[in-house]
Amino acid sequence: MEFLFNPICRKGTKARRFKLLSLLSILFFLFSFLSFSQEKPKDSTKVTQLDDVLVSAVRVTTKTPVSFSNLTKKDFQFRNLGQDVPILMNFMPSVVTTSDAGNGVGYTGIRVRGSDATRVNVTINGIPFNDAEGSGSYFVDLPDLASSVESLQLQRGVGTSTNGAGAFGASLNMLTDSYSKKSFGEISNSGGSFNTRKSTVKFSTGMMNDHFEIAGRLSQIKSNGYIDRGSSDLKSYFLQGTYVGKTTIIKALAFGGTEKTYQSWNGIDGETINSDRTFNSAGIFTDEFGNTRFYNNETDNYQQDHYQLHWNEKATSYWNTNLAVHYTKGKGYYENYKEDADFTKYGLTPIAGQTTTDLIRQKWLDNDFYGTTFSANYKKDKIDFIFGGAYNQYNGKHFGKVIWSRYASTSELGDHYYDNYGNKNDGNVFAKVNYQLTTKWSLYGDLQYRQVQYQANGVAAGLVNDTFHFFNPKAGLNYALNAKNILYFSYARANREPNRTDYEGGTVKPEKLNDYELGWRFTTEKVKWNTNIYYMAYKDQLILTGNLDAVGNPIRSNSEKSYRLGLEVDATIALSKQVSIRPNVTLSQNKNVDLNIDGVGFGNKNIAYSPSVVAGNIFVYQPTNGLQIAVASKFVGDQYLNNIELKDAKLPNYFVNDLNVSYPIYPKSIFKSIVFTGLCNNIMSKKYSSNGYMYDIYPYYYPQAGRNFLIGMTLKF
């Protein structure tokens, strides 16, 4: 999160031409809606749920030539004991997850096909979730979001057109809970190693007067973390009201969270990790008597609140529409102790004989993100057509405060030592179609136009005022060999703008990607098998260099030519009524071609943070009705922390296993069910690091916890 508070800010004016484009798109949508709303559905008793409407706009099915995987609430509820959303996705194909605190609570990250979180486009109910400026996704701001997620879909590669920034590694589409026809209550509590504990309360009124439902959730998660002082204090809420008519669903949602985490993003050097794996340098300072101490409030503090309003209409038997407006408020700061800080850097007047001082600073971010998304879906006979788009605006204030100084100078409480600002306008329109050419052949087409206006001050490049125009075409074919076998091929083009850290580093080139996917899907009653070959050819890819800037931001640079070539295989196989397995493996080659750094040629080198082997498996055994025992395994191959394959910059491979047990009982009164769950992470107590970075030529690592436990109980009534 630190780079969110980087003192790089932007100030912008209204994008009149782009707003006109957005307005015309919305008017077209409304005109289309009104023009066909006179026709009544043939079956007015069938109501399209929020899931169904949004699926048509942001998700794909096996009829779409795209590589994807789905997770439902049933898939992850037994592991949902306090760890973050990326950790719950750890065993999906091509996925690598990270945890700063080492136990999956607090700041976590995800990479897909070697692409980091800034290149995974995340939406919640079709609304963009990635930070508009830095492009990252911070699930720590929405702790226990998984308890309110009905399902999620991970599209690997470019995927289909959706809202938000272009996907350069994957798209993650999450749908929150649908409405419940019957009232219910649910209380969940869990706890375990590192004093980790989670409490969740959920409820639903059920359908009142056959039309209205109110549901909600409150959660709290606390953990000391595996890393020294890597603590987390997280709170979140989720509230929704739903109106259901014969052909209409209107849903209002308010959800958000607040987090306070002790900073653990410094990592640990290669020498210390061998003697003290949990050492955390954050907050370290030397007092006036020469004693080494740690500042007790070296923390990240942030609150984020989301408001969404969705109107879904089954206008006719063939038309479904969705219109949404949204607003996200984010505000917070990180606080840290600075030794021997220069007076002038913080706007302080030097005192006679004193040019530096110890001080405590806060770097603040105060932002607003709001906009609208819309889509219309026509589905009849051989054609499935979707038209949609979005317009979103981001405004952010960045400022810093000194809240304590050993030498007070002339400062006043509340003074800002920097004030920056920002503005980003982002909009797109798209059209997608699936057309059944014959009983065996179907054609997919997808066109998107996206325009981004970005204005900033406070960056190394000076005042930024850039406008990007991106055209992203996609096309593909599906061939149904028979009822069990489907072959597909697709091509997708993606373009993506630099983020603000790239501007700070002087990088201003947008990146381009041509993505080719060739796949085979095999489905029987007992076996589901997916095989996919991908070739992702990049122009000016913004690759992670492995280095961090002065305030901890990952530094990226353009690689003129690079590619990712890989084979993905995943399956679900029922070996018997009691035993099933879900293996997956990705074999890949990820290369910079003729890499040139500061005029020095390095030839073809591996792209940083891109292991050539990623594999996983979940073995499930159900000996009796209700009891489930699962062993989940994950292997991640060697990966480099920079792009020149420096020997000391290699992050070693690791293989870890988790044990998950769940058992429900069904009392005859009071409770509908009582579900007991247990999770033992890293059962072999493997010593490994899932992430790292380079400080000059020295590697730093993020060590992960050895064997650790979580147990929980859920009461449903």
Side-chain angles (χ1 to χ4, degrees), residues 24 68 438 536 649 658 672:
L24 290 173
F68 70 94
T438 68
M536 304 170 73
D658 300 344
K672 294 180 181 178

Side-chain angles (χ1 to χ4, degrees), residues 613-640:
V613 181
V614 177
N617 181 55
I618 301 178
F619 173 89
V620 181
Y621 176 49
Q622 295 176 296
T624 62
N625 187 29
L627 176 62
Q628 177 174 295
I629 303 171
V631 177
S633 305
K634 188 74 174 186
F635 175 82
V636 177
D638 294 340
Q639 51 189 308
Y640 285 97

Side-chain angles (χ1 to χ4, degrees), residues 361-616:
R361 68 178 184 180
Q362 293 179 346
K363 289 190 172 183
W364 281 80
L365 173 64
D366 184 353
N367 60 53
D368 302 275
F369 178 64
Y370 50 91
T372 181
T373 67
F374 58 92
S375 63
N377 179 209
Y378 175 78
K379 192 173 184 179
K380 182 182 180 182
D381 299 332
K382 297 181 178 181
I383 191 169
D384 187 352
F385 172 76
I386 303 165
F387 169 80
Y391 176 76
N392 302 299
Q393 184 166 350
Y394 171 93
N395 296 290
K397 299 177 182 178
H398 306 259
F399 54 92
K401 298 179 181 180
V402 174
I403 64 171
W404 173 85
S405 177
R406 186 173 300 280
Y407 304 106
S409 184
T410 57
S411 64
E412 296 289 340
L413 185 65
D415 283 353
H416 293 183
Y417 66 89
Y418 69 86
D419 275 286
N420 294 319
Y421 46 82
N423 190 53
K424 187 173 186 178
N425 301 300
D426 186 348
N428 74 87
V429 290
F430 64 83
K432 299 187 282 190
V433 63
N434 260 311
Y435 184 74
Q436 195 70 39
L437 296 171
T438 68
T439 56
K440 292 184 177 293
W441 289 94
S442 63
L443 174 68
Y444 173 76
D446 183 340
L447 300 175
Q448 182 198 54
Y449 168 72
R450 179 169 174 253
Q451 180 175 301
V452 180
Q453 291 184 327
Y454 183 75
Q455 296 173 324
N457 80 326
V459 300
L463 183 66
V464 175
N465 186 359
D466 282 343
T467 299
F468 300 96
H469 301 272
F470 297 138
F471 176 59
N472 302 313
K474 307 170 184 68
L477 283 171
N478 253 29
Y479 177 66
L481 189 64
N482 50 46
K484 298 178 181 179
N485 294 275
I486 295 177
L487 305 176
Y488 66 85
F489 171 77
S490 67
Y491 162 79
R493 171 79 166 182
N495 297 270
R496 190 178 177 95
E497 72 279 9
N499 66 24
R500 79 163 193 216
T501 306
D502 300 323
Y503 280 94
E504 174 65 12
T507 299
V508 294
K509 288 184 181 180
E511 48 187 345
K512 307 171 184 65
L513 167 62
N514 293 301
D515 182 17
Y516 304 86
E517 308 272 339
L518 176 63
W520 165 45
R521 296 186 177 107
F522 174 75
T523 305
T524 66
E525 185 178 347
K526 294 185 177 181
V527 178
K528 292 183 179 179
W529 183 282
N530 302 298
T531 301
N532 185 70
I533 299 173
Y534 63 87
Y535 178 66
M536 304 170 73
Y538 296 88
K539 171 67 174 175
D540 295 323
Q541 180 183 184
L542 285 164
I543 54 174
L544 294 172
T545 65
N547 297 116
L548 306 179
D549 66 14
V551 291
N553 302 322
I555 297 174
R556 306 193 301 182
S557 65
N558 287 115
S559 175
E560 183 177 357
K561 186 178 181 181
S562 56
Y563 68 86
R564 300 182 188 275
L565 172 65
L567 168 68
E568 297 170 323
V569 180
D570 69 280
T572 299
I573 303 171
L575 300 178
S576 68
K577 291 183 179 180
Q578 290 80 30
V579 180
S580 65
I581 57 173
R582 284 179 279 176
N584 65 77
V585 63
T586 300
L587 307 175
S588 65
Q589 187 178 75
N590 310 274
K591 293 288 186 179
N592 295 296
V593 179
D594 295 327
L595 180 67
N596 187 291
I597 301 176
D598 297 329
V600 179
F602 289 91
N604 295 351
K605 296 293 184 180
N606 287 309
I607 301 175
Y609 302 98
S610 301
S612 58
V613 181
V614 177

Side-chain angles (χ1 to χ4, degrees), residues 202-342:
K202 291 184 66 176
F203 75 92
S204 171
T205 63
M207 295 308 271
M208 301 180 293
N209 298 324
D210 296 325
H211 288 293
F212 297 95
E213 184 241 20
I214 298 175
R217 171 186 57 82
L218 291 174
S219 300
Q220 183 178 46
I221 302 173
K222 289 190 174 184
S223 177
N224 292 342
Y226 169 67
I227 300 300
D228 294 344
R229 303 179 311 286
S231 60
S232 300
D233 186 357
L234 318 173
K235 301 178 180 68
S236 70
Y237 67 93
F238 184 90
L239 183 65
Q240 66 179 11
T242 306
Y243 167 79
V244 180
K246 289 185 177 181
T247 61
T248 304
I249 290 182
I250 297 175
K251 178 172 281 193
L253 303 98
F255 57 95
T258 179
E259 59 91 5
K260 182 174 184 176
T261 56
Y262 196 97
Q263 296 171 19
S264 54
W265 55 55
N266 285 2
I268 185 172
D269 65 89
E271 182 177 345
T272 307
I273 196 173
N274 294 320
S275 58
D276 187 0
R277 287 181 59 82
T278 65
F279 178 76
N280 182 8
S281 64
I284 194 170
F285 70 96
T286 304
D287 66 17
E288 295 298 284
F289 304 99
N291 300 313
T292 299
R293 298 173 58 184
F294 293 91
Y295 179 52
N296 63 4
N297 199 38
E298 191 94 353
T299 57
D300 183 62
N301 306 263
Y302 199 74
Q303 179 169 341
Q304 192 173 79
D305 299 289
H306 298 252
Y307 306 95
Q308 299 181 0
L309 178 64
H310 296 268
W311 173 27
N312 305 302
E313 189 76 26
K314 187 174 177 63
T316 74
S317 299
Y318 311 118
W319 282 97
N320 293 323
T321 63
N322 175 65
L323 177 64
V325 293
H326 67 91
Y327 171 65
T328 300
K329 177 63 180 180
K331 188 174 184 179
Y333 63 92
Y334 77 84
E335 180 174 314
N336 66 323
Y337 191 103
K338 297 291 290 184
E339 277 191 280
D340 299 326
D342 192 321

Side-chain angles (χ1 to χ4, degrees), residues 78 621-622 626-630 660-664 675-678:
F78 301 124
Y621 176 49
Q622 295 176 296
L627 176 62
Q628 177 174 295
I629 303 171
N660 193 194
V661 179
S662 65
Y663 183 70
V675 182
F676 298 95
T677 52

Side-chain angles (χ1 to χ4, degrees), residues 59 68-73 75-76 85 88-89 92 123 146 149-155 171-175:
R59 290 197 174 182
F68 70 94
S69 299
N70 294 324
L71 277 184
T72 66
K73 187 181 292 290
D75 294 324
F76 56 73
V85 169
L88 299 179
M89 297 173 59
M92 299 181 77
T123 60
V149 169
E150 188 73 24
S151 63
L152 60 85
Q153 181 178 88
L154 183 69
Q155 298 176 21
S171 294
L172 174 59
N173 307 308
M174 295 185 289
L175 295 177

